[in-house]
C-alpha cells in the first residue's frame, strides 16, 4: 500500500465568485480488522458544488488525489484513528459508527450525530441521508470505500487507511507515517495546520524518548487480553503492539510461527509465556474499550491472577505496561502519543 504524500493546499476560489459573493463563507466547522484494502485506480473527486468563499485542499489518500473543500459541511467520519483528533478540534460530525467507538466520545453521546452502526452491518444509507460534503474512510470501514463513493457521488471521499497487517512490508514505518500524514491532512482540511503540526511534533518526540529509554536487550512480551484470556500480540503483525518492535528495536521474548494480526491476539498458552520469562509485559485490554462488555474481567486482574506468570521477571519486577483503556477502539495519534510517553517513562526507570 502506498504511503501518504503530504497534502498540498490549493486555493480554488474563482475571482468572479469573490465579486459576486464578497467575502461570504458559508462553511461551518464543523477493528475489528486492520487488513489493507487493495488500491484500485480512482480519478480525483471534485464535489459538485463547494461553499461560497471556501477554498479546497488536495489530499493524497491511498487511491490518489482527492479535492476536498476546506472546512466542509456535513462531515461523516468512519476511521477510528481520526475521532479523537476531530473531537479535540471541535469538528462537528453528521454521522459516525457509534458501535465501534469509545463510550465516552462526545460524538457517541450527541443525539444529533447519526449512528451508522458497526462495520459488520453498517447502515450506509444514513451517509446518503445526511448529504455530506466529506466522508472520511479508514480502518474498519476501508472496504466500503467504493460503496460509499457510489452512494454520495457529489461528496469528497478520502480513504486514510494504512497497512499494519501481517502482509505489510514495513508496519512500523506505516504506523508512524500513516498517523503523521493523516493528521496533517486533517489539519489542512479543517484549517488546523498549527494544531496538526504540534501533534506531529509531540508524537515524534515521544517516539524518540521511547527509543532512548529502551536498553536494547530486555525481552518484551506483548499480549491482548480478551474475555479473560491472554493472546499473543506478535512482533510486526500483532494487534497494536506488533509494529512497535520495528519502531523501537524491541527484542521479543517469544517467536511463534504463523502469527497473525487477530484482534484478540494469537492463541498461546500462559505456560509458554511464562517459560519465555519476559523482562517486560505490554498489555492491550480489548474488553475495556468495548462498552457492551459489562462482565469483562480487567486485564490487570487477569495478569495478576495468573499463577503461571507470577515468577516471571516482568511480574516480580513490576515491569508491566498497559495501553490506554480505549486503545482498541481509539487508535488515534493521541492514543499512541500517550502510550509512547508511558513506555518511555516505564522503560526509563
Amino acid at each position: 500500500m502506498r504511503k501518504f504524500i503530504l497534502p498540498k493546499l490549493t486555493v480554488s476560489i474563482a475571482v468572479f465568485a469573490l465579486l459576486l459573493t464578497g467575502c461570504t463563507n458559508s462553511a461551518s466547522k464543523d477493528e475489528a480488522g486492520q487488513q489493507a484494502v487493495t488500491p484500485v485506480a480512482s480519478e480525483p473527486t471534485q464535489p459538485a458544488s463547494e461553499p461560497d468563499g471556501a477554498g479546497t485542499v488536495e489530499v493524497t489518500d491511498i487511491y490518489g488525489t482527492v479535492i476536498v473543500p476546506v472546512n466542509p459541511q456535513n462531515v461523516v467520519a468512519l476511521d477510528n484513528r481520526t475521532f479523537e483528533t476531530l473531537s479535540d478540534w471541535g469538528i462537528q460530525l453528521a454521522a459516525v459508527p457509534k458501535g465501534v467507538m469509545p463510550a465516552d466520545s462526545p460524538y457517541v453521546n450527541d443525539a444529533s450525530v447519526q449512528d451508522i452502526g458497526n462495520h459488520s452491518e453498517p447502515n450506509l444509507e444514513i451517509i446518503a441521508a445526511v448529504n455530506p460534503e466529506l466522508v472520511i474512510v479508514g480502518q474498519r470501514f476501508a472496504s466500503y470505500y467504493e460503496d460509499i463513493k457510489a452512494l454520495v457521488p457529489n461528496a469528497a471521499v478520502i480513504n486514510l487507511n494504512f497497512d499494519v497487517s501481517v502482509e505489510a512490508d514495513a508496519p512500523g514505518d506505516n504506523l508512524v507515517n500513516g498517523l503523521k500524514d493523516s493528521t496533517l491532512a486533517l489539519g489542512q482540511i479543517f484549517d488546523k495546520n498549527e494544531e496538526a503540526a504540534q501533534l506531529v511534533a509531540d508524537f515524534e518526540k515521544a517516539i524518540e524518548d521511547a527509543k532512548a529509554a529502551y536498553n536494547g536487550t530486555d525481552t518484551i512480551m506483548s499480549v491482548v487480553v480478551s474475555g479473560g484470556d491472554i493472546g499473543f500480540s506478535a512482533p510486526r503483525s500483532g494487534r497494536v503492539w506488533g509494529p512497535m518492535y520495528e519502531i523501537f528495536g524491541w527484542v521479543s521474548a517469544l517467536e511463534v510461527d504463523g502469527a497473525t494480526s487477530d484482534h484478540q491476539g494469537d492463541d498461546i498458552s500462559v505456560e509458554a509465556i511464562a517459560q519465555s520469562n519476559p523482562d517486560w509485559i505490554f498489555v492491550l485490554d480489548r474488553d475495556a474499550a468495548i462498552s457492551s462488555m459489562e462482565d469483562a474481567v480487567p486485564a490487570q486482574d487477569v495478569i495478576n491472577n495468573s499463577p503461571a506468570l507470577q515468577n516471571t521477571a516482568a511480574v516480580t519486577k513490576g515491569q508491566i505496561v498497559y495501553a490506554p483503556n480505549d486503545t482498541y477502539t481509539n487508535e488515534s495519534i493521541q492514543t499512541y502519543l500517550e502510550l509512547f510517553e508511558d513506555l518511555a517513562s516505564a522503560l526509563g526507570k
Side-chain angles (χ1 to χ4, degrees), residues 17-18 20-27 51-54:
L18 287 175
L20 291 174
T21 63
C23 296
T24 302
N25 186 342
S26 61
D52 293 339

Side-chain angles (χ1 to χ4, degrees), residues 194-263:
E194 291 184 5
E195 291 87 344
Q198 186 61 59
L199 263 177
V200 168
D202 292 342
F203 179 64
E204 290 175 335
K205 183 179 185 304
I207 291 174
E208 292 307 313
D209 289 346
K211 281 182 179 178
Y214 178 56
N215 62 16
T217 57
D218 281 359
T219 56
I220 309 296
M221 169 60 64
S222 53
V223 299
V224 178
V225 175
S226 177
D229 295 326
I230 301 174
F232 179 52
S233 180
R236 299 191 79 252
S237 62
R239 181 74 185 194
V240 173
W241 303 107
M244 296 182 203
Y245 285 83
E246 287 188 345
I247 296 171
F248 301 118
W250 290 344
V251 176
S252 178
L254 184 67
E255 297 293 337
V256 174
D257 292 335
T260 71
S261 55
D262 186 86
H263 62 108

Side-chain angles (χ1 to χ4, degrees), residues 157-197:
V157 181
I158 57 173
N159 191 337
L160 298 181
N161 198 42
F162 49 85
D163 188 3
V164 293
S165 70
V166 67
E167 293 89 0
D169 291 333
D173 288 343
N174 291 353
L175 177 66
V176 172
N177 293 331
L179 288 171
K180 288 164 57 176
D181 292 345
S182 59
T183 299
L184 293 172
L186 293 174
Q188 297 270 20
I189 293 169
F190 295 103
D191 196 20
K192 297 287 184 181
N193 293 299
E194 291 184 5
E195 291 87 344

